[in-house]
Amino acid sequence: MPIEIRKTLLQVETTLIEGGKAALLPLKLYSAIAVVKNPWAGRGYVEDLKPEIHACAPVLGELLTKMIIDAVGSGEAVQAYGKAAVVGLDGEIEHASALIHTLRFGNHYRQAVGAKSYLAFCNTRGPANAPIMIPLMDKNDEGRRSHYLTIQTAVPDAPAADEIAIALGASVGGRPHHRIGDRYQDLKDLGHDVANPADV
């Protein structure tokens, strides 16, 4: 069953001033969104989601990755990345999760940006104009707090009850004037091993 894409959106946000102080390097945040028909809508409880995952997730991963890379200019320039999905009110959270929590979706993006970190994520359910929250973190260093960011956006007419909004996010740069340090200093101060941060 091919994925039915109703619309795509691309957003670029540039922060020039933060806290009343000009940013030395402006922060650029990118989001690419596809609004798609929920492939499980109207079918009741579906036990096996795999056929639709295999048919739809690679198409979405390739499309949204291309949108991000074309906007940023290169995969190398992407510093932090993340993903999100919002399923309409007639769908399950599992439907949102199914299309983004698969290597068939995420690996397109990971490979394009040369990432080592896992893709930060958010999967929620909501009506049209629901917040789409895309958490970001450094693509190669999960402890680099300067790149703990969240893109917040919305699509006024999506998701409809039988749709899913699927998104990828990227940053070029970290938070302007970041000054809370990285998690490695916390671990050192607490006497914890970096390889065992929970000390268990």
Side-chain angles (χ1 to χ4, degrees), residues 80-130:
Y81 72 157
K83 60 186 177 182
V86 181
V87 66
L89 295 178
D90 287 350
E92 300 175 39
I93 293 291
E94 194 73 0
H95 298 163
S97 300
L99 294 181
I100 65 171
H101 296 310
T102 168
L103 298 181
R104 289 171 172 79
F105 176 80
N107 275 358
H108 289 277
Y109 199 18
R110 285 186 197 89
Q111 292 165 5
V113 303
K116 298 176 183 174
S117 300
Y118 69 88
L119 267 161
F121 64 88
C122 181
N123 32 250
T124 57
R125 178 171 43 229
N129 210 36

Side-chain angles (χ1 to χ4, degrees), residues 11 59 97-98 123 135 139-140 144 147 161 164 167 173 189:
Q11 177 177 292
V59 175
S97 300
N123 32 250
K139 67 181 183 181
N140 290 318
R144 191 181 181 194
H147 287 60
I164 307 175
D189 292 346

Side-chain angles (χ1 to χ4, degrees), residues 152-168:
Q152 180 174 337
T153 187
V155 183
D157 67 345
D162 64 349
E163 291 182 329
I164 307 175
I166 307 289
L168 288 180

Side-chain angles (χ1 to χ4, degrees), residues 135-146:
L136 308 178
M137 70 177 180
D138 187 286
K139 67 181 183 181
N140 290 318
D141 185 348
E142 297 166 9
R144 191 181 181 194
R145 288 187 179 138
S146 59

